[in-house]
Short mmCIF file of all heavy atoms in Angstrom, two decimals:
data_model
loop_
_atom_site.label_atom_id
_atom_site.label_comp_id
_atom_site.label_asym_id
_atom_site.label_seq_id
_atom_site.Cartn_x
_atom_site.Cartn_y
_atom_site.Cartn_z
N TYR Y 392 -9.88 4.39 -0.29
CA TYR Y 392 -10.12 5.50 0.63
C TYR Y 392 -10.50 4.88 1.96
O TYR Y 392 -11.50 4.16 2.05
CB TYR Y 392 -11.25 6.38 0.09
CG TYR Y 392 -11.54 7.62 0.93
CD1 TYR Y 392 -10.96 8.84 0.61
CD2 TYR Y 392 -12.39 7.56 2.02
CE1 TYR Y 392 -11.22 9.98 1.35
CE2 TYR Y 392 -12.67 8.69 2.78
CZ TYR Y 392 -12.08 9.91 2.44
OH TYR Y 392 -12.35 11.03 3.18
N GLN Y 393 -9.71 5.11 2.98
CA GLN Y 393 -9.97 4.52 4.29
C GLN Y 393 -10.58 5.55 5.23
O GLN Y 393 -10.10 6.68 5.30
CB GLN Y 393 -8.67 3.99 4.89
CG GLN Y 393 -8.07 2.88 4.08
CD GLN Y 393 -6.75 2.40 4.66
OE1 GLN Y 393 -6.14 3.03 5.51
NE2 GLN Y 393 -6.30 1.26 4.17
N PHE Y 394 -11.64 5.14 5.92
CA PHE Y 394 -12.26 5.99 6.93
C PHE Y 394 -12.77 5.09 8.04
O PHE Y 394 -13.60 4.24 7.84
CB PHE Y 394 -13.37 6.88 6.33
CG PHE Y 394 -14.46 6.13 5.63
CD1 PHE Y 394 -15.71 5.96 6.22
CD2 PHE Y 394 -14.25 5.59 4.37
CE1 PHE Y 394 -16.73 5.27 5.57
CE2 PHE Y 394 -15.27 4.89 3.71
CZ PHE Y 394 -16.50 4.74 4.32
N LYS Y 397 -13.92 1.28 7.89
CA LYS Y 397 -14.44 1.01 6.54
C LYS Y 397 -13.51 1.57 5.47
O LYS Y 397 -12.60 2.34 5.75
CB LYS Y 397 -15.82 1.63 6.39
CG LYS Y 397 -16.84 1.07 7.35
CD LYS Y 397 -18.17 1.73 7.18
CE LYS Y 397 -19.14 1.19 8.23
NZ LYS Y 397 -20.43 1.82 8.13
N SER Y 398 -13.77 1.15 4.23
CA SER Y 398 -13.00 1.69 3.11
C SER Y 398 -13.83 1.60 1.83
O SER Y 398 -14.77 0.82 1.73
CB SER Y 398 -11.69 0.92 2.94
OG SER Y 398 -11.93 -0.40 2.51
N LEU Y 399 -13.47 2.45 0.88
CA LEU Y 399 -14.06 2.43 -0.46
C LEU Y 399 -12.94 2.11 -1.42
O LEU Y 399 -11.81 2.60 -1.26
CB LEU Y 399 -14.65 3.80 -0.80
CG LEU Y 399 -15.78 4.31 0.08
CD1 LEU Y 399 -16.10 5.76 -0.25
CD2 LEU Y 399 -17.02 3.45 -0.12
N LYS Y 400 -13.22 1.31 -2.46
CA LYS Y 400 -12.19 0.95 -3.43
C LYS Y 400 -12.69 1.24 -4.84
O LYS Y 400 -13.87 1.10 -5.14
CB LYS Y 400 -11.84 -0.53 -3.32
CG LYS Y 400 -11.17 -0.87 -2.01
CD LYS Y 400 -10.82 -2.33 -1.91
CE LYS Y 400 -10.23 -2.62 -0.54
NZ LYS Y 400 -10.06 -4.01 -0.29
N ALA Y 401 -11.74 1.63 -5.71
CA ALA Y 401 -12.05 1.88 -7.12
C ALA Y 401 -10.79 1.65 -7.95
O ALA Y 401 -9.67 1.70 -7.43
CB ALA Y 401 -12.57 3.30 -7.31
N GLU Y 406 -12.83 7.57 -10.29
CA GLU Y 406 -13.94 6.76 -9.79
C GLU Y 406 -14.00 6.83 -8.27
O GLU Y 406 -15.08 6.92 -7.69
CB GLU Y 406 -13.77 5.30 -10.23
CG GLU Y 406 -13.97 5.05 -11.70
CD GLU Y 406 -13.59 3.63 -12.11
OE1 GLU Y 406 -13.30 2.79 -11.23
OE2 GLU Y 406 -13.60 3.37 -13.33
N LEU Y 407 -12.84 6.79 -7.62
CA LEU Y 407 -12.80 6.85 -6.16
C LEU Y 407 -13.29 8.20 -5.66
O LEU Y 407 -14.04 8.27 -4.69
CB LEU Y 407 -11.39 6.56 -5.65
CG LEU Y 407 -11.26 6.45 -4.14
CD1 LEU Y 407 -12.14 5.31 -3.59
CD2 LEU Y 407 -9.81 6.22 -3.75
N GLU Y 408 -12.89 9.27 -6.33
CA GLU Y 408 -13.33 10.61 -5.92
C GLU Y 408 -14.85 10.72 -6.00
O GLU Y 408 -15.49 11.28 -5.10
CB GLU Y 408 -12.68 11.66 -6.81
CG GLU Y 408 -13.00 13.08 -6.39
CD GLU Y 408 -12.31 14.14 -7.24
OE1 GLU Y 408 -11.66 13.79 -8.24
OE2 GLU Y 408 -12.44 15.32 -6.88
N VAL Y 409 -15.45 10.14 -7.04
CA VAL Y 409 -16.91 10.16 -7.17
C VAL Y 409 -17.55 9.38 -6.02
O VAL Y 409 -18.51 9.85 -5.40
CB VAL Y 409 -17.35 9.59 -8.54
CG1 VAL Y 409 -18.84 9.34 -8.59
CG2 VAL Y 409 -16.92 10.53 -9.67
N LEU Y 410 -17.02 8.18 -5.74
CA LEU Y 410 -17.55 7.37 -4.62
C LEU Y 410 -17.47 8.11 -3.30
O LEU Y 410 -18.42 8.13 -2.52
CB LEU Y 410 -16.74 6.08 -4.50
CG LEU Y 410 -17.21 4.86 -5.25
CD1 LEU Y 410 -16.22 3.72 -5.03
CD2 LEU Y 410 -18.59 4.45 -4.82
N VAL Y 411 -16.33 8.73 -3.04
CA VAL Y 411 -16.12 9.47 -1.80
C VAL Y 411 -17.15 10.59 -1.67
O VAL Y 411 -17.76 10.76 -0.60
CB VAL Y 411 -14.67 10.01 -1.73
CG1 VAL Y 411 -14.51 11.03 -0.61
CG2 VAL Y 411 -13.68 8.86 -1.56
N SER Y 412 -17.38 11.30 -2.75
CA SER Y 412 -18.36 12.40 -2.70
C SER Y 412 -19.79 11.87 -2.53
O SER Y 412 -20.60 12.49 -1.85
CB SER Y 412 -18.24 13.30 -3.93
OG SER Y 412 -18.67 12.62 -5.08
N LEU Y 413 -20.09 10.72 -3.13
CA LEU Y 413 -21.42 10.12 -2.97
C LEU Y 413 -21.70 9.75 -1.50
O LEU Y 413 -22.83 9.80 -1.05
CB LEU Y 413 -21.57 8.88 -3.85
CG LEU Y 413 -21.73 9.12 -5.34
CD1 LEU Y 413 -21.69 7.80 -6.11
CD2 LEU Y 413 -23.03 9.86 -5.63
N TYR Y 414 -20.65 9.38 -0.79
CA TYR Y 414 -20.79 9.05 0.63
C TYR Y 414 -20.71 10.28 1.52
O TYR Y 414 -20.77 10.17 2.73
CB TYR Y 414 -19.72 8.02 1.05
CG TYR Y 414 -20.09 6.61 0.71
CD1 TYR Y 414 -19.93 6.10 -0.58
CD2 TYR Y 414 -20.63 5.76 1.68
CE1 TYR Y 414 -20.27 4.79 -0.89
CE2 TYR Y 414 -20.97 4.46 1.39
CZ TYR Y 414 -20.79 3.98 0.09
OH TYR Y 414 -21.14 2.70 -0.20
N GLY Y 415 -20.52 11.45 0.91
CA GLY Y 415 -20.46 12.69 1.67
C GLY Y 415 -19.18 12.85 2.47
O GLY Y 415 -19.13 13.59 3.45
N LEU Y 416 -18.11 12.16 2.02
CA LEU Y 416 -16.83 12.24 2.71
C LEU Y 416 -15.95 13.31 2.07
O LEU Y 416 -16.22 13.76 0.96
CB LEU Y 416 -16.14 10.87 2.66
CG LEU Y 416 -16.92 9.73 3.32
CD1 LEU Y 416 -16.31 8.39 2.96
CD2 LEU Y 416 -16.98 9.92 4.82
N LYS Y 417 -14.89 13.69 2.78
CA LYS Y 417 -14.02 14.75 2.29
C LYS Y 417 -12.96 14.20 1.34
O LYS Y 417 -12.39 13.14 1.57
CB LYS Y 417 -13.31 15.44 3.45
CG LYS Y 417 -14.22 16.25 4.32
CD LYS Y 417 -13.46 16.93 5.42
CE LYS Y 417 -14.41 17.72 6.30
NZ LYS Y 417 -13.71 18.36 7.41
N TRP Y 418 -12.70 14.94 0.27
CA TRP Y 418 -11.63 14.63 -0.68
C TRP Y 418 -10.67 15.81 -0.65
O TRP Y 418 -10.97 16.88 -1.16
CB TRP Y 418 -12.22 14.45 -2.08
CG TRP Y 418 -11.21 14.04 -3.10
CD1 TRP Y 418 -10.51 14.86 -3.93
CD2 TRP Y 418 -10.79 12.72 -3.43
NE1 TRP Y 418 -9.67 14.13 -4.74
CE2 TRP Y 418 -9.82 12.80 -4.46
CE3 TRP Y 418 -11.12 11.46 -2.94
CZ2 TRP Y 418 -9.20 11.69 -5.02
CZ3 TRP Y 418 -10.50 10.34 -3.50
CH2 TRP Y 418 -9.56 10.46 -4.52
#
Side-chain angles (χ1 to χ4, degrees):
Y392 183 95
Q393 297 178 346
F394 57 105
K397 298 179 183 178
S398 68
L399 298 171
K400 293 180 184 171
E406 290 172 7
L407 186 60
E408 184 178 6
V409 169
L410 268 177
V411 167
S412 69
L413 287 173
Y414 278 80
L416 300 168
K417 291 181 181 178
W418 184 266

